[in-house]
Amino acid sequence: MGETEERSVKRIHYPLAEAIPQEQLDAEIAELERIEKLPLIPKILGYIKLGGPGFIGAAFTLGAGTVTSSMLSGSIYGYKTMWVLWFSIVVGIFMVAAGLRFATKGGRIIILQNKYHHWIIGSVLTALGGVAIPAILWSWGQFALAGNLLESLTPHLGFSFPRQYNWIAIVALTTWLTLMYGKKNSPGVRFVENFMKWAIALMVVGFGFSVVKVGVNVSEFIKGNLTPWIPPGGEGLDLVIASGAAACGVMDWFLFHYTGLARGWSERHEKLGKMDMIFGLLLPFILVNWLIVTAFAQTLYVSGGAVPESAVELAAVFAPLLGSELGAIFFYLACLAIPVTTIVGLNVVCAIAIFEAFGWEANVDSLRWKICALLPSTGFLAVFTSRPVWLVIFVTAFISLTNNICGWSWYLLLNDKKVMGENRCKSYLWNLGIMVALCFVNAAAIVYIFNRFGIFG
Amino acid sequence: MDRILDRKYGPFSGRVYGLILNLIANAVAIHGAINYVIKGQSPLEMYVGIGTTAICCLILSVPSK
């Protein structure tokens, strides 16, 4: 496992990719060769059509935490902190690119980490501690947000669907999508990828509709994106470190790497992967966040009133400002797409991580896979109760302190001639981007320790 | 530079020691930033941390030849 094998082109062996017929993989490579010869715009559209892991990554990264943070920063700081959004994801992209290189020309990252570093770094710190356990825990926030948003949306459609019951619909939809991923003789991976694409389109249309209604202050928008303003005092430090670390998480690198492998990406797919990273992950992430921040900067920030702290309360204050039922419906649908897609991503990534950690051959038809994939769905309990505080503290501490070690491991593997041979990183700028990303994950660990020792005051 | 980074010194390569030094520099920068921004003290510690971080990043970015 982890070695490249000869089919029609060199491809890293990953069981989920076996569900894709060889003819389909070969046809995709032929299509890639055709696309590469097209003019720029048709070429980009062709790459977007063939892309997928990037869209899964964007839909996954755009979760409850991101939407809350964007709503809050728009409401409190207006356009001023917009630069943080694109800066943090651009920094994170360098690590995602490392995941792509491993997927197309290196090997399965956990196997590489276990072999060349230690299983504690690969299986324990990256797969279990960095991905699977947080996936189970973070899903609570997604379910809480999805349940509340669905409850808020349905009265606009003329009926009531309280969260005490609507979680069943959310679990049913996310479970169906999760269990379809990687399944043989079904649309499988491509169906889930297309669902993510449509969900992102819904977010863009929904929030775009809101922005059309409330308008844009173009000069403030440009200024906010180009001027690296930070709030004064401790808030500024918190904002920059938290935003940087959030967009640089191990889960995002891991997800892109393994969803690329699940698509059967080979050495010939690296260019497609790069385009998918830009047009599937980077731009949708920035665009959706821009729209959310703009919508709230134009309304709650301008009004200058008290700002609620949760996304649901913020949405409830914002929706009536749109002045129409249709606007509110679009807005709530766009908001709802955010946690739903993240839950699917959490489910898939959790199963992949657990199987990789224990060296099990991924088999989506097995009961073991189904159980692992649905562990994050226990987050539906958020509708009835809150997460155990001790568990949140423990997992947050673990992630804060270990994410940087995982990042170090990826950087070292990417630069190791013995591991990557001629496919190692040969770009100074790429390494520099990775180093900046590592500084952010280091900072998250340092801030956690400083907080524990009361150094933050 | 890449030879120095990729050579082993004891259990680890130069890159690993560089990453550890970078972590320490990050901690100094953040500690200095807290003292400067929140407590109003001298920014010297923050500048030392940021400067060392920048040097570490610039050196560790050199790829293996």
Side-chain angles (χ1 to χ4, degrees):
Chain A
M1 287 200 297
E3 299 296 318
T4 53
E5 65 172 23
E6 198 68 42
R7 292 169 89 180
S8 56
V9 286
K10 281 192 176 173
R11 177 172 285 118
I12 312 295
H13 168 74
Y14 187 57
L16 291 194
E18 304 295 322
I20 305 168
Q22 185 60 44
E23 311 82 66
Q24 197 177 319
L25 294 171
D26 293 340
E28 190 173 280
I29 287 176
E31 177 67 2
L32 272 177
E33 284 167 359
R34 190 187 70 81
I35 288 171
E36 276 165 23
K37 292 171 191 149
L38 294 174
L40 186 67
I41 301 295
K43 187 192 283 189
I44 290 171
L45 292 175
Y47 281 129
I48 289 173
K49 194 180 165 200
L50 284 184
F55 289 93
I56 293 185
F60 173 74
T61 307
L62 287 162
T66 311
V67 69
T68 308
S69 149
S70 290
M71 285 176 174
L72 278 173
S73 70
S75 306
I76 298 169
Y77 305 118
Y79 292 94
K80 290 178 190 165
T81 56
M82 273 193 141
W83 68 276
V84 176
L85 296 170
W86 65 259
F87 178 76
S88 56
I89 190 73
V90 165
V91 168
I93 279 292
F94 288 96
M95 289 302 297
V96 175
L100 172 65
R101 175 59 62 89
F102 292 127
T104 53
K105 296 178 177 172
R108 282 151 65 180
I109 190 66
I110 299 302
I111 294 172
L112 293 179
Q113 286 182 293
N114 286 352
K115 183 175 174 185
Y116 292 101
H117 293 161
H118 197 281
W119 59 266
I120 291 177
I121 306 275
S123 287
V124 178
L125 297 187
T126 305
L128 294 177
V131 179
I133 295 170
I136 296 166
L137 198 68
W138 297 161
S139 68
W140 285 58
Q142 313 301 330
F143 272 102
L145 180 61
N148 282 308
L149 287 171
L150 192 52
E151 187 178 72
S152 306
L153 165 69
T154 46
H156 294 279
L157 299 170
F159 64 100
S160 165
F161 198 12
R163 61 182 179 278
Q164 287 80 0
Y165 306 107
N166 71 28
W167 65 269
I168 299 168
I170 298 163
V171 169
L173 174 65
T174 54
T175 301
W176 175 62
L177 288 163
T178 301
L179 297 182
M180 187 183 286
Y181 192 81
K183 206 169 172 59
K184 274 185 186 169
N185 306 318
S186 82
V189 170
R190 286 316 298 257
F191 185 88
V192 176
E193 287 175 354
N194 288 334
F195 179 85
M196 297 298 190
K197 285 181 188 177
W198 283 109
I200 288 172
L202 178 62
M203 291 176 209
V204 172
V205 171
F207 294 126
F209 192 89
S210 304
V211 170
V212 167
K213 280 273 182 184
V214 300
V216 187
N217 184 332
V218 178
S219 66
E220 285 298 311
F221 178 89
I222 294 171
K223 205 169 135 192
N225 275 291
L226 299 181
T227 312
W229 179 87
I230 56 169
E235 270 179 59
L237 283 177
D238 271 349
L239 176 81
V240 174
I241 293 169
S243 304
C248 286
V250 169
M251 281 172 119
D252 304 297
W253 321 333
F254 184 95
L255 181 70
F256 190 79
H257 171 75
Y258 277 99
T259 48
L261 287 170
R263 269 292 297 280
W265 277 1
S266 65
E267 56 183 1
R268 303 269 285 278
H269 287 78
E270 194 170 22
K271 195 165 182 189
L272 169 65
K274 284 178 186 169
M275 291 294 164
D276 197 29
M277 252 171 25
I278 295 166
F279 295 101
L281 174 54
L282 183 76
L283 294 182
F285 179 89
I286 294 174
L287 183 59
V288 171
N289 276 304
W290 268 351
L291 292 170
I292 296 172
V293 173
T294 302
F296 283 81
Q298 285 291 106
T299 49
L300 297 196
Y301 176 70
V302 171
S303 72
V307 176
E309 284 185 5
S310 78
V312 177
E313 289 167 327
L314 282 159
V317 174
F318 176 79
L321 302 176
L322 291 167
S324 74
E325 278 294 290
L326 191 63
I329 290 168
F330 264 126
F331 173 72
Y332 274 118
L333 281 174
C335 286
L336 190 58
I338 288 173
V340 167
T341 51
T342 303
I343 292 167
V344 177
L346 289 168
N347 285 344
V348 170
V349 86
C350 181
I352 293 173
I354 294 174
F355 271 66
E356 287 297 278
F358 292 106
W360 297 333
E361 190 80 350
N363 175 9
V364 298
D365 293 318
S366 68
L367 180 63
R368 184 188 278 171
W369 177 275
K370 288 169 186 162
I371 291 170
C372 292
L374 296 180
L375 279 175
S377 290
T378 50
F380 80 85
L381 290 168
V383 173
F384 304 104
T385 180
S386 57
R387 290 176 293 192
V389 175
W390 64 268
L391 190 62
V392 176
I393 292 171
F394 175 76
V395 173
T396 309
F398 192 84
I399 296 167
S400 302
L401 297 174
T402 58
N403 257 6
N404 59 329
I405 296 172
C406 304
W408 293 15
S409 166
W410 284 41
Y411 158 82
L412 291 168
L413 287 170
L414 188 68
N415 281 283
D416 195 328
K417 213 184 281 188
K418 192 173 68 185
V419 179
M420 297 295 288
E422 285 308 303
N423 296 318
R424 69 188 179 278
C425 175
K426 290 178 183 170
S427 159
Y428 186 86
L429 280 179
W430 186 5
N431 262 344
L432 190 59
I434 288 176
M435 283 309 303
V436 175
L438 291 184
C439 287
F440 274 112
V441 284
N442 281 345
I446 292 160
V447 166
Y448 180 80
I449 293 168
F450 282 1
N451 269 330
R452 300 305 294 171
F453 285 97
I455 295 174
F456 247 122
Chain B
M1 181 56 73
D2 62 302
R3 285 186 187 171
I4 296 171
L5 288 173
D6 294 326
R7 191 181 299 158
K8 274 210 159 189
Y9 307 91
F12 302 122
S13 68
R15 285 189 194 274
V16 177
Y17 292 109
L19 287 171
I20 294 167
L21 180 61
N22 182 54
L23 175 69
I24 295 167
N26 294 162
V28 172
I30 292 170
H31 190 261
I34 293 166
N35 283 340
Y36 174 59
V37 176
I38 300 174
K39 297 175 185 169
Q41 294 174 3
S42 160
L44 183 67
E45 186 189 1
M46 180 178 77
Y47 289 140
V48 169
I50 292 172
T52 314
T53 296
I55 292 166
C56 285
C57 288
L58 292 172
I59 291 173
L60 289 168
S61 300
V62 175
S64 298
K65 292 250 164 60

